[in-house]
């Protein structure tokens, strides 16, 4: 369990203050996740977009690396001898039991890490311990469908302030140049 990092509520009362309330989220366990988003003009072959969460625990290492699961799309992300593979979740148990170094899947990269080198996807590292819940105020409209949970984008800033992405929607929260 790591200490939680969040921004004070006051710092995020931006232009939306008349429609939304913003609250820091409180998560008890640190868990880095990867968000795979389809690149503009690319094809999401086999519907592999979405959140991939590392599976921590005994028996969840494949070729010395943690396996990540995308429960919503029933996919896994694992390390083969040649790179990273996205495959069907139904194959994962057998790959782990046999510690296969060569296996196929729907997409692959040949980069050293799981967050780079994908032809069809841009991958964002998100920190679940730092984020905001963005909720519509009572009686207000969810203008542009912005409500939801926003997680901090790891290692990136805009105007020297953190950037937050909503993994379920194509939405971003960031500070403008003049925001305090």
């Amino acid at each position: 369990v790591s200490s939680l990092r969040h921004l004070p509520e006051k710092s995020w009362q931006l232009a939306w203050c008349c429609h939304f309330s913003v609250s820091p989220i409180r998560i008890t366990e640190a868990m880095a996740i990867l968000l795979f988003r389809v690149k503009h003009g690319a094809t999401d072959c086999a519907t592999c977009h979405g959140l991939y969460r590392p599976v921590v625990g005994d028996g969840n290492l494949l070729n010395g690396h943690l396996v990540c699961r995308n429960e919503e799309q029933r996919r896994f992300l694992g390390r083969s001898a040649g790179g990273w593979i996205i495959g069907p979740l139904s194959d994962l148990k057998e790959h782990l039991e046999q510690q296969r170094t060569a296996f196929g899947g729907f997409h692959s990269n040949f980069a050293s890490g799981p967050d780079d080198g994908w032809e069809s996807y841009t991958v964002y590292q998100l920190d679940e311990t730092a984020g905001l819940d963005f909720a519509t105020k009572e009686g207000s409209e969810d203008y542009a469908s912005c409500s939801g949970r926003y997680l901090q984008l790891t290692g990136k800033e805009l105007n020297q302030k953190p950037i937050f992405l909503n993994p379920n929607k194509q939405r971003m929260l960031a500070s403008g140049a003049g925001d305090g």
Side-chain angles (χ1 to χ4, degrees):
V1 178
S2 69
S3 62
L4 298 178
R5 295 178 293 123
H6 62 273
L7 298 174
E9 185 172 349
K10 182 181 173 193
S11 69
W12 288 95
Q13 293 176 351
L14 305 174
W16 312 289
C17 65
C18 59
H19 298 286
F20 296 96
S21 63
V22 180
S23 304
I25 59 174
R26 310 230 187 280
I27 306 242
T28 56
E29 292 186 30
M31 182 75 78
I33 60 176
L34 299 173
L35 173 61
F36 279 65
R37 287 223 171 129
V38 181
K39 291 179 179 177
H40 181 71
T43 303
D44 188 18
C45 174
T47 317
C48 296
H49 71 278
L51 290 173
Y52 287 79
R53 297 181 190 288
V55 181
V56 180
D58 292 337
N60 289 303
L61 291 178
L62 186 57
N63 297 306
H65 297 272
L66 275 177
V67 171
C68 297
R69 294 170 65 120
N70 179 335
E71 295 293 342
E72 185 178 344
Q73 307 300 348
R74 307 293 301 151
R75 303 287 180 253
F76 79 93
L77 173 66
R79 178 73 183 180
S80 73
W84 292 87
I85 307 285
I86 296 176
L89 200 51
S90 58
D91 292 352
L92 178 58
K93 183 178 179 184
E94 190 174 330
H95 294 330
L96 288 169
E97 287 172 353
Q98 297 181 13
Q99 282 300 301
R100 290 190 172 141
T101 57
F103 55 91
F106 303 118
H107 296 273
S108 62
N109 81 7
F110 300 103
S112 60
D115 58 343
D116 195 23
W118 297 95
E119 183 177 331
S120 297
Y121 301 100
T122 301
V123 181
Y124 301 96
Q125 290 185 23
L126 301 178
D127 181 353
E128 280 191 306
T129 66
L132 302 165
D133 276 334
F134 202 66
T136 307
K137 287 184 177 179
E138 189 175 329
S140 293
E141 182 183 339
D142 186 7
Y143 180 76
S145 187
C146 293
S147 65
R149 178 156 291 173
Y150 289 75
L151 303 177
Q152 186 171 341
L153 182 58
T154 304
K156 304 282 185 199
E157 291 184 338
L158 182 63
N159 298 313
Q160 299 162 344
K161 301 225 169 110
I163 299 170
F164 296 88
L165 296 179
N166 183 320
N168 300 316
K169 301 176 180 180
Q170 296 286 329
R171 301 288 182 266
M172 173 184 87
L173 279 174
S175 177
D179 293 337

